[in-house]
Structures are given as structure tokens and as C-alpha cells.
Amino acid sequence: MRDGILIGEGVVLDARPASFATRGLALFLDMLVLLVLVLASLFAFAWSLDSLELDMATAIVIAFSVLVMVVIPTTVETLSRGRSLGKLALGIRVVRDDGGPVRFRHAFLRALVGVGEIWLTFGSVALVASLTNDKGKRLGDMAAGTYAIRVRGGRPTLVPLVMPPFLGAWASHADMRRLPDGLALAARQFLGRADRLHPASRARLGQELAGQVERYVAPGPPPGTHPETFLLAVLAERRDRDRATAQRAQAAAHEQAELLHRLPYSVPDPTR
């Protein structure tokens, strides 16, 4: 149903999984960058490896391999919230299954499993896993609970939130609890694409979403209110209430800041 998700930074992303070709090309670019890094490092330190004992040289090579295959990918994905250089170039991002940004644990598991399914098998295991999964997940994604989505391309259509005039009085007095982000976004996306849906699907989805939203609203809308009109009224009212709450909080913070600059509180500073 949903064409978008709300990640932790409050950014709406296209939730459609990235195609295998896009992911593969992003992976190729990442590995190309790492290969250049490896070759440059080996060229820079080749003279020093010749003078080391075999055990020491082996330990350095192992440590360098761990750095390239695990540490660097983990660090990059953690700091960029799922966007390595290749993914950035191809317009994709790795997110959690719930749409949230990846953390260190997710990036580390992806990189650790990637040692076997990408580096040691030349990507063949990752290829088979991605082609057999409906979201294009490789084994590292399955272990970490992540997948890659497109963040560039067609933007989700968001319908303008305008309060229906005949529901304004009801909405202003209704008790509306905060809607879960996923439900609010699903309703917003549905309203934006409703005119492109099959009439039967449009009616069914509208009634289903209206029923879910109505659990957070009391009293319910006037009898005979169309589900889509009800959704539009609730979203518009919640937006206006959130905006008013934010404005009151900003005004209170400004007033508090002014009081804190007086010595003592609420007493004007003495003139010199």
C-alpha cells in the first residue's frame, strides 16, 4: 500500500526496493574505490613488507584485509546512514525493514556477512540471494534486517491538506490523538494516488484507512462522511494543531529566555 516511509531523520523516502542492476552497479563502484585504496596502500608500503618477518607481514595483511572488507564499509554506512559512495552515486540507500536509518549493528552485520558472500565468492552468493528475494536482499541484509531502496527518481505525490469546509467545526472540537507516523504517511500517500487506483481498490483502501484512523478520533465524523474526506480533515487538523503547539512552545522558550537574562528574575536590571 505505501509508496513511502518516514526514516529517523524525518525524511520521506521512496520505499520501493532498488533494482538488482542498480545495487550491483553501486556495489561495483564501492569495490572499485576499495580496490584503488588497496593498490595505493600496497604500493606505498610494499618496500616495508619486504623487510618484515613472514609472521609479521601475514598479520599486517590480515589486519589490512579486515580494515578494507569490514571496518571501512561499516564506518561509511554508519556515518552516512546507509549511503556509501556507490549508493550515493546511484541514488539508493540502505534502511532497516521498518524504514529507519541503519545503525552500527546493521552496518557491521552487513559488512561481516559480506566477507563471505561478496569478497570470498566474488559476489556469486549475493547474486543468488538477491535474485531469489522479493526485496533484493542479500544474506547480509537478511541477517541485519535491512534492504536497499531508491531515494531518487519519481517523488511520492502528496495531496495538499485543505480542511473540507463542512467538517471544520467538527474537526476543531474532536479529540484527536497523534497518529502513528506509518499510518499518517499511508493516508497521505493514498490521498495522493487515489485518482489513479481502480475504483474498487480505491473504495476498499479508503474504508480500511479511515477505519484505522477513526480509532484515534473521538467523536467520529458526521454520518455519511466520505472516507477520503474524513482522512483529509483529520490530517489537516493534526497539521494545524501540531503547528500551533510548536508555535506556543517557541513563544514559551523565547519568554523564558528573556526572563533568564534579568537579575533577579522578573525584575529589570538596575540602571547604571
Side-chain angles (χ1 to χ4, degrees), residues 206-218:
Q207 292 174 358
E208 178 182 329
L209 280 171
Q212 295 179 31
V213 171
E214 195 168 355
R215 301 172 188 171
Y216 299 87
V217 179

Side-chain angles (χ1 to χ4, degrees), residues 33-225:
V33 172
L34 290 174
L35 180 60
V36 171
L37 176 63
V38 169
L39 294 178
S41 301
L42 290 178
F43 179 78
F45 297 103
W47 61 272
S48 61
L49 293 177
D50 293 338
S51 61
L52 296 176
E53 297 181 357
L54 179 60
D55 292 342
M56 180 61 69
T58 302
I60 292 177
V61 171
I62 293 176
F64 186 75
S65 299
V66 172
L67 175 68
V68 170
M69 292 186 290
V70 178
V71 177
I72 293 179
T74 299
T75 303
V76 170
E77 282 201 352
T78 301
L79 296 179
S80 65
R81 292 292 189 265
R83 304 198 74 179
S84 61
L85 292 177
K87 296 180 181 64
L88 184 63
L90 272 296
I92 63 178
R93 178 195 294 265
V94 175
V95 297
R96 302 196 307 259
D97 286 339
D98 62 0
V102 295
R103 308 294 184 186
F104 170 79
R105 176 176 64 86
H106 308 96
F108 177 71
L109 284 175
R110 280 172 46 81
L112 190 62
V113 177
V115 173
E117 67 169 330
I118 296 177
W119 293 96
L120 299 183
T121 61
F122 300 99
S124 58
V125 175
L127 170 63
V128 174
S130 296
L131 291 177
T132 56
N133 187 274
D134 58 350
K135 287 188 175 181
K137 291 187 174 187
R138 61 178 179 85
L139 297 182
D141 289 312
M142 298 178 192
T146 59
Y147 73 110
I149 63 173
R150 295 189 295 174
V151 295
R152 263 206 323 253
R155 294 184 177 180
T157 302
L158 299 180
V159 64
L161 295 181
V162 180
M163 175 64 68
F166 57 92
L167 290 180
W170 163 78
S172 63
H173 294 89
D175 179 17
M176 297 184 183
R177 291 183 291 158
R178 180 177 178 83
L179 299 178
D181 288 337
L183 178 58
L185 182 59
R188 190 85 182 269
Q189 294 284 0
F190 165 73
L191 293 174
R193 62 196 288 254
D195 58 346
R196 300 193 299 274
L197 295 175
H198 186 276
S201 298
R202 177 175 181 174
R204 177 179 58 82
L205 292 173
Q207 292 174 358
E208 178 182 329
L209 280 171
Q212 295 179 31
V213 171
E214 195 168 355
R215 301 172 188 171
Y216 299 87
V217 179
T225 301

Side-chain angles (χ1 to χ4, degrees), residues 5-30:
I5 53 179
L6 190 65
I7 65 174
E9 295 95 333
V11 178
V12 179
L13 301 179
D14 190 341
R16 288 172 292 178
S19 66
F20 171 77
T22 302
R23 292 192 58 169
L25 184 55
L27 177 61
F28 172 77
L29 293 176
D30 287 336

